């Protein structure tokens, strides 16, 4: 009986521990932002500065970088967008950059499930553009990507690490078509509201 009780106790303990993870050096992060009629999500690893010189050493200038740590950064658009001046259809993409001192080249790649940039193939890029580098006034210890609304039709994807920031502009693709769809959706909502039983 004692053995049975001990086995049951051990099983419960192991079951409890199975819900914990070993801490990792570059924690995973997923951010989501409502955009236009749908949303944008970004999944990435967050390395820390940890006293190192980041850009130009840890992350060399002029070389393809995964824009984060571990798996390549994955960006998902639930509707067609214009990003960095390039039209991109809805779907998931790997985000790669080539950092330079004054500007970054940004690439969206069809292979959204890569580890690092080891199998990066530029032939799979669906969009390439450059964005200027900005200087942060305060140090950003942990690498961070955020998506912030500019207005109801546009947003900015901000990448910040150490003393560096870049802003990637995102807009609706074919805004006149999106406006027509939104008008129709509003008409449907009004019809549903008018048809609802009065209390």
């Amino acid at each position: 009986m004692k053995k049975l009780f001990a086995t049951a106790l051990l099983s419960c303990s192991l079951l409890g521990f199975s819900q914990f993870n070993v801490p990792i050096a570059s924690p995973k992060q997923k951010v989501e932002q409502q955009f236009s009629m749908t949303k944008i999500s970004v999944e990435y690893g967050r390395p820390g500065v940890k006293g190192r010189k980041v850009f130009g050493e840890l992350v060399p200038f002029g070389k393809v970088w995964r824009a984060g740590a571990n798996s390549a950064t994955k960006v998902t658009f639930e509707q067609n967008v214009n990003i960095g001046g390039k039209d991109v259809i809805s779907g998931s993409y790997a985000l790669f950059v080539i950092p330079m001192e004054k500007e970054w080249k940004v690439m969206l790649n069809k292979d959204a499930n890569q580890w690092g940039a080891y199998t990066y193939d530029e032939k799979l890029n669906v969009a390439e553009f450059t964005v200027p580098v900005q200087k942060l006034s305060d140090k950003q210890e942990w690498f961070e990507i955020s998506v912030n609304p500019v207005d109801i039709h546009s947003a900015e994807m901000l990448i910040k690490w150490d003393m560096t920031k870049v802003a990637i502009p995102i807009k609706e693709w074919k805004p006149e078509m999106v406006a027509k769809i939104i008008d129709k959706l509003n008409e449907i909502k009004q019809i549903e509201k008018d048809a609802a039983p009065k209390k």
Side-chain angles (χ1 to χ4, degrees):
M1 186 70 179
K2 284 183 181 178
K3 283 185 180 179
L4 184 63
F5 179 74
T7 304
L9 191 63
L10 182 61
S11 297
C12 289
S13 298
L14 290 174
L15 195 61
F17 277 118
S18 69
Q19 296 179 24
F20 293 98
N21 293 314
V22 175
I24 58 174
S26 301
K28 291 180 183 177
Q29 176 75 42
K30 181 173 182 179
V31 295
E32 292 184 342
Q33 176 60 53
Q34 184 178 348
F35 172 75
S36 185
M37 299 180 296
T38 57
K39 68 181 178 184
I40 297 169
S41 60
V42 186
E43 299 171 63
Y44 66 102
R46 300 192 66 188
V49 175
K50 300 174 183 175
R52 301 171 290 186
K53 178 171 170 47
V54 175
F55 295 106
E57 287 191 14
L58 179 65
V59 178
F61 288 134
K63 291 190 176 180
V64 176
W65 178 48
R66 71 191 91 185
N70 304 321
S71 297
T73 292
K74 182 164 139 182
V75 182
T76 301
F77 305 109
E78 293 191 359
Q79 71 184 67
N80 299 345
V81 299
N82 180 287
I83 177 167
K86 306 290 182 177
D87 291 335
V88 174
I89 62 169
S90 61
S92 293
Y93 301 94
L95 174 72
F96 292 103
V97 299
I98 299 177
M100 298 297 291
E101 284 189 77
K102 295 186 177 177
E103 65 179 18
W104 285 11
K105 182 177 180 181
V106 180
M107 297 89 73
L108 288 178
N109 190 274
K110 284 182 187 176
D111 186 356
N113 299 301
Q114 303 182 52
W115 179 266
Y118 304 108
T119 58
Y120 167 76
D121 182 354
E122 65 179 347
K123 294 188 186 107
L124 297 177
N125 288 351
V126 297
E128 298 179 6
F129 52 89
T130 58
V131 290
V133 169
Q134 302 172 46
K135 205 78 173 168
L136 289 170
S137 54
D138 296 313
K139 184 177 182 178
Q140 176 77 31
E141 174 64 27
W142 294 94
F143 179 81
E144 180 182 88
I145 299 178
S146 60
V147 181
N148 297 326
V150 173
D151 54 40
I152 61 171
H153 304 289
S154 60
E156 272 189 332
M157 183 184 297
L158 299 178
I159 301 177
K160 297 189 286 186
W161 198 21
D162 198 7
M163 299 302 294
T164 297
K165 176 177 98 168
V166 297
I168 300 171
I170 304 171
K171 296 179 181 178
E172 294 168 338
W173 183 68
K174 294 192 176 178
E176 65 287 347
M177 186 185 293
V178 172
K180 286 179 183 176
I181 294 169
I182 291 171
D183 286 344
K184 290 295 179 188
L185 289 172
N186 284 332
E187 283 178 25
I188 292 166
K189 280 187 178 179
Q190 188 60 49
I191 290 167
E192 288 176 342
K193 186 178 175 183
D194 293 343
K198 302 290 188 273
K199 292 182 180 179

